[in-house]
Tab-separated table of all heavy atoms in Angstrom:
chain	number	residue	atom	x	y	z
A	1	PRO	N	15.368	-12.036	18.891
A	1	PRO	CA	15.022	-13.269	19.614
A	1	PRO	C	15.336	-14.498	18.779
A	1	PRO	O	15.393	-14.440	17.546
A	1	PRO	CB	13.513	-13.124	19.835
A	1	PRO	CG	13.057	-12.295	18.674
A	1	PRO	CD	14.164	-11.315	18.427
A	2	SER	N	15.522	-15.622	19.468
A	2	SER	CA	15.787	-16.870	18.753
A	2	SER	C	14.506	-17.461	18.193
A	2	SER	O	14.528	-18.194	17.200
A	2	SER	CB	16.453	-17.880	19.688
A	2	SER	OG	15.633	-18.134	20.816
A	3	VAL	N	13.376	-17.133	18.821
A	3	VAL	CA	12.079	-17.663	18.395
A	3	VAL	C	11.034	-16.559	18.522
A	3	VAL	O	11.033	-15.808	19.501
A	3	VAL	CB	11.661	-18.879	19.263
A	3	VAL	CG1	10.222	-19.282	18.970
A	3	VAL	CG2	12.595	-20.052	19.030
A	4	LEU	N	10.133	-16.472	17.543
A	4	LEU	CA	9.004	-15.553	17.603
A	4	LEU	C	7.727	-16.359	17.816
A	4	LEU	O	7.485	-17.350	17.116
A	4	LEU	CB	8.884	-14.752	16.304
A	4	LEU	CG	9.757	-13.508	16.155
A	4	LEU	CD1	9.615	-12.926	14.748
A	4	LEU	CD2	9.374	-12.452	17.189
A	5	LEU	N	6.916	-15.925	18.776
A	5	LEU	CA	5.641	-16.566	19.059
A	5	LEU	C	4.516	-15.580	18.755
A	5	LEU	O	4.567	-14.423	19.181
A	5	LEU	CB	5.566	-16.996	20.530
A	5	LEU	CG	6.713	-17.877	21.050
A	5	LEU	CD1	6.508	-18.188	22.526
A	5	LEU	CD2	6.828	-19.166	20.244
A	6	PHE	N	3.505	-16.039	18.023
A	6	PHE	CA	2.380	-15.188	17.633
A	6	PHE	C	1.084	-15.801	18.155
A	6	PHE	O	0.747	-16.931	17.810
A	6	PHE	CB	2.280	-15.070	16.111
A	6	PHE	CG	3.468	-14.406	15.461
A	6	PHE	CD1	4.518	-15.162	14.981
A	6	PHE	CD2	3.522	-13.030	15.314
A	6	PHE	CE1	5.605	-14.564	14.370
A	6	PHE	CE2	4.602	-12.417	14.701
A	6	PHE	CZ	5.648	-13.182	14.236
A	7	ASP	N	0.351	-15.034	18.972
A	7	ASP	CA	-0.926	-15.512	19.499
A	7	ASP	C	-2.068	-14.742	18.831
A	7	ASP	O	-2.472	-13.687	19.305
A	7	ASP	CB	-0.976	-15.336	21.016
A	7	ASP	CG	-2.235	-15.940	21.633
A	7	ASP	OD1	-2.928	-16.695	20.917
A	7	ASP	OD2	-2.525	-15.646	22.800
A	8	GLU	N	-2.567	-15.262	17.713
A	8	GLU	CA	-3.657	-14.662	16.942
A	8	GLU	C	-3.469	-13.146	16.780
A	8	GLU	O	-4.357	-12.357	17.131
A	8	GLU	CB	-5.013	-14.978	17.589
A	8	GLU	CG	-5.227	-16.469	17.794
A	8	GLU	CD	-6.688	-16.859	17.864
A	8	GLU	OE1	-7.486	-16.327	17.082
A	8	GLU	OE2	-7.027	-17.713	18.691
A	9	PRO	N	-2.335	-12.708	16.236
A	9	PRO	CA	-2.016	-11.277	16.221
A	9	PRO	C	-2.853	-10.450	15.256
A	9	PRO	O	-2.859	-9.228	15.350
A	9	PRO	CB	-0.544	-11.254	15.815
A	9	PRO	CG	-0.384	-12.477	14.965
A	9	PRO	CD	-1.270	-13.506	15.607
A	10	LEU	N	-3.554	-11.088	14.330
A	10	LEU	CA	-4.290	-10.330	13.311
A	10	LEU	C	-5.800	-10.338	13.529
A	10	LEU	O	-6.533	-9.750	12.732
A	10	LEU	CB	-3.987	-10.890	11.913
A	10	LEU	CG	-2.502	-11.003	11.534
A	10	LEU	CD1	-2.374	-11.503	10.101
A	10	LEU	CD2	-1.785	-9.684	11.717
A	11	SER	N	-6.268	-10.968	14.573
A	11	SER	CA	-7.718	-11.174	14.727
A	11	SER	C	-8.480	-9.881	14.977
A	11	SER	O	-9.693	-9.835	14.772
A	11	SER	CB	-7.989	-12.175	15.849
A	11	SER	OG	-7.461	-11.702	17.075
A	12	ASN	N	-7.800	-8.810	15.424
A	12	ASN	CA	-8.492	-7.549	15.684
A	12	ASN	C	-8.524	-6.617	14.476
A	12	ASN	O	-9.063	-5.509	14.574
A	12	ASN	CB	-7.829	-6.811	16.863
A	12	ASN	CG	-8.097	-7.504	18.191
A	12	ASN	OD1	-9.091	-8.213	18.336
A	12	ASN	ND2	-7.218	-7.308	19.143
A	13	LEU	N	-7.952	-7.030	13.367
A	13	LEU	CA	-7.882	-6.177	12.181
A	13	LEU	C	-9.051	-6.464	11.245
A	13	LEU	O	-9.631	-7.551	11.262
A	13	LEU	CB	-6.562	-6.409	11.445
A	13	LEU	CG	-5.279	-6.194	12.264
A	13	LEU	CD1	-4.056	-6.482	11.403
A	13	LEU	CD2	-5.209	-4.791	12.839
A	14	ASP	N	-9.389	-5.480	10.398
A	14	ASP	CA	-10.441	-5.707	9.413
A	14	ASP	C	-9.938	-6.675	8.339
A	14	ASP	O	-8.741	-6.939	8.221
A	14	ASP	CB	-10.905	-4.393	8.790
A	14	ASP	CG	-9.809	-3.678	8.014
A	14	ASP	OD1	-9.411	-4.168	6.943
A	14	ASP	OD2	-9.340	-2.620	8.486
A	15	ALA	N	-10.874	-7.184	7.541
A	15	ALA	CA	-10.562	-8.280	6.625
A	15	ALA	C	-9.462	-7.928	5.627
A	15	ALA	O	-8.541	-8.720	5.401
A	15	ALA	CB	-11.824	-8.707	5.883
A	16	LYS	N	-9.524	-6.747	5.019
A	16	LYS	CA	-8.524	-6.376	4.014
A	16	LYS	C	-7.154	-6.198	4.646
A	16	LYS	O	-6.143	-6.694	4.128
A	16	LYS	CB	-8.929	-5.108	3.279
A	16	LYS	CG	-7.949	-4.744	2.151
A	16	LYS	CD	-8.334	-3.477	1.440
A	16	LYS	CE	-7.411	-3.234	0.241
A	16	LYS	NZ	-5.983	-3.256	0.600
A	17	LEU	N	-7.107	-5.489	5.787
A	17	LEU	CA	-5.827	-5.273	6.448
A	17	LEU	C	-5.243	-6.587	6.949
A	17	LEU	O	-4.031	-6.805	6.909
A	17	LEU	CB	-6.005	-4.289	7.609
A	17	LEU	CG	-4.733	-3.869	8.350
A	17	LEU	CD1	-3.706	-3.297	7.379
A	17	LEU	CD2	-5.064	-2.863	9.433
A	18	ARG	N	-6.120	-7.480	7.400
A	18	ARG	CA	-5.661	-8.793	7.852
A	18	ARG	C	-4.994	-9.541	6.703
A	18	ARG	O	-3.939	-10.152	6.875
A	18	ARG	CB	-6.840	-9.586	8.405
A	18	ARG	CG	-6.441	-10.847	9.137
A	18	ARG	CD	-7.558	-11.341	10.041
A	18	ARG	NE	-8.764	-11.686	9.305
A	18	ARG	CZ	-9.930	-11.094	9.448
A	18	ARG	NH1	-10.052	-10.083	10.293
A	18	ARG	NH2	-10.984	-11.473	8.764
A	19	GLY	N	-5.590	-9.471	5.508
A	19	GLY	CA	-4.996	-10.125	4.350
A	19	GLY	C	-3.659	-9.524	3.984
A	19	GLY	O	-2.706	-10.248	3.642
A	20	ASP	N	-3.542	-8.184	4.051
A	20	ASP	CA	-2.271	-7.524	3.743
A	20	ASP	C	-1.201	-7.895	4.765
A	20	ASP	O	-0.039	-8.146	4.405
A	20	ASP	CB	-2.460	-6.005	3.718
A	20	ASP	CG	-3.337	-5.536	2.564
A	20	ASP	OD1	-3.488	-6.305	1.596
A	20	ASP	OD2	-3.869	-4.416	2.636
A	21	MET	N	-1.585	-7.929	6.035
A	21	MET	CA	-0.614	-8.221	7.087
A	21	MET	C	-0.131	-9.669	7.037
A	21	MET	O	0.999	-9.967	7.433
A	21	MET	CB	-1.221	-7.915	8.456
A	21	MET	CG	-1.325	-6.428	8.780
A	21	MET	SD	0.290	-5.608	8.862
A	21	MET	CE	1.021	-6.429	10.288
A	22	ARG	N	-0.972	-10.568	6.567
A	22	ARG	CA	-0.517	-11.957	6.399
A	22	ARG	C	0.705	-12.007	5.496
A	22	ARG	O	1.701	-12.682	5.791
A	22	ARG	CB	-1.623	-12.809	5.773
A	22	ARG	CG	-2.777	-13.159	6.657
A	22	ARG	CD	-3.841	-13.857	5.844
A	22	ARG	NE	-5.100	-13.926	6.554
A	22	ARG	CZ	-6.283	-14.049	5.969
A	22	ARG	NH1	-6.361	-14.115	4.647
A	22	ARG	NH2	-7.378	-14.110	6.675
A	23	ILE	N	0.607	-11.287	4.378
A	23	ILE	CA	1.701	-11.277	3.416
A	23	ILE	C	2.939	-10.637	4.031
A	23	ILE	O	4.061	-11.151	3.906
A	23	ILE	CB	1.277	-10.530	2.137
A	23	ILE	CG1	0.099	-11.254	1.476
A	23	ILE	CG2	2.452	-10.415	1.166
A	23	ILE	CD1	-0.514	-10.503	0.314
A	24	GLU	N	2.747	-9.508	4.715
A	24	GLU	CA	3.882	-8.810	5.322
A	24	GLU	C	4.561	-9.664	6.388
A	24	GLU	O	5.799	-9.737	6.442
A	24	GLU	CB	3.417	-7.488	5.934
A	24	GLU	CG	3.013	-6.443	4.901
A	24	GLU	CD	2.766	-5.090	5.539
A	24	GLU	OE1	3.300	-4.842	6.642
A	24	GLU	OE2	2.041	-4.282	4.945
A	25	LEU	N	3.781	-10.311	7.243
A	25	LEU	CA	4.357	-11.144	8.292
A	25	LEU	C	5.124	-12.325	7.701
A	25	LEU	O	6.200	-12.679	8.181
A	25	LEU	CB	3.261	-11.657	9.226
A	25	LEU	CG	2.778	-10.705	10.317
A	25	LEU	CD1	1.647	-11.341	11.113
A	25	LEU	CD2	3.905	-10.310	11.248
A	26	ARG	N	4.554	-12.929	6.670
A	26	ARG	CA	5.220	-14.075	6.047
A	26	ARG	C	6.536	-13.660	5.392
A	26	ARG	O	7.562	-14.335	5.540
A	26	ARG	CB	4.281	-14.700	5.003
A	26	ARG	CG	4.844	-15.936	4.312
A	26	ARG	CD	5.233	-17.001	5.324
A	26	ARG	NE	5.536	-18.255	4.676
A	26	ARG	CZ	6.276	-19.200	5.220
A	26	ARG	NH1	6.790	-19.042	6.424
A	26	ARG	NH2	6.503	-20.330	4.587
A	27	GLU	N	6.530	-12.521	4.695
A	27	GLU	CA	7.754	-12.040	4.059
A	27	GLU	C	8.804	-11.677	5.104
A	27	GLU	O	9.997	-11.949	4.924
A	27	GLU	CB	7.443	-10.842	3.167
A	27	GLU	CG	6.655	-11.205	1.911
A	27	GLU	CD	6.332	-10.001	1.059
A	27	GLU	OE1	6.510	-8.854	1.545
A	27	GLU	OE2	5.900	-10.192	-0.098
A	28	LEU	N	8.366	-11.072	6.212
A	28	LEU	CA	9.297	-10.708	7.268
A	28	LEU	C	9.911	-11.949	7.903
A	28	LEU	O	11.121	-12.000	8.169
A	28	LEU	CB	8.581	-9.866	8.323
A	28	LEU	CG	9.437	-9.380	9.501
A	28	LEU	CD1	10.556	-8.475	8.990
A	28	LEU	CD2	8.579	-8.645	10.521
A	29	GLN	N	9.103	-12.957	8.141
A	29	GLN	CA	9.621	-14.193	8.733
A	29	GLN	C	10.654	-14.838	7.809
A	29	GLN	O	11.689	-15.332	8.263
A	29	GLN	CB	8.465	-15.165	9.007
A	29	GLN	CG	8.825	-16.378	9.855
A	29	GLN	CD	9.326	-17.560	9.044
A	29	GLN	OE1	8.962	-17.722	7.885
A	29	GLN	NE2	10.156	-18.378	9.652
A	30	ASN	N	10.393	-14.797	6.507
A	30	ASN	CA	11.348	-15.360	5.548
A	30	ASN	C	12.654	-14.572	5.536
A	30	ASN	O	13.746	-15.149	5.455
A	30	ASN	CB	10.735	-15.378	4.148
A	30	ASN	CG	9.685	-16.468	3.981
A	30	ASN	OD1	9.734	-17.487	4.673
A	30	ASN	ND2	8.747	-16.268	3.077
């Protein structure tokens, strides 16, 4: 896709997994 839209995609995850996924999503976007 030309654009990715995220609507609170991590809010259902536990705190530790949410923190890990933040890093993964940011690295993937880069």
Side-chain angles (χ1 to χ4, degrees):
S2 58
V3 171
L4 277 174
L5 306 179
F6 297 93
D7 185 13
E8 306 204 41
L10 307 183
S11 60
N12 289 335
L13 303 179
D14 63 70
K16 184 181 186 307
L17 184 55
R18 191 161 62 243
D20 293 340
M21 285 297 295
R22 287 174 194 156
I23 298 172
E24 290 189 23
L25 279 177
R26 182 56 170 158
E27 290 179 348
L28 181 62
Q29 191 271 332
N30 286 334

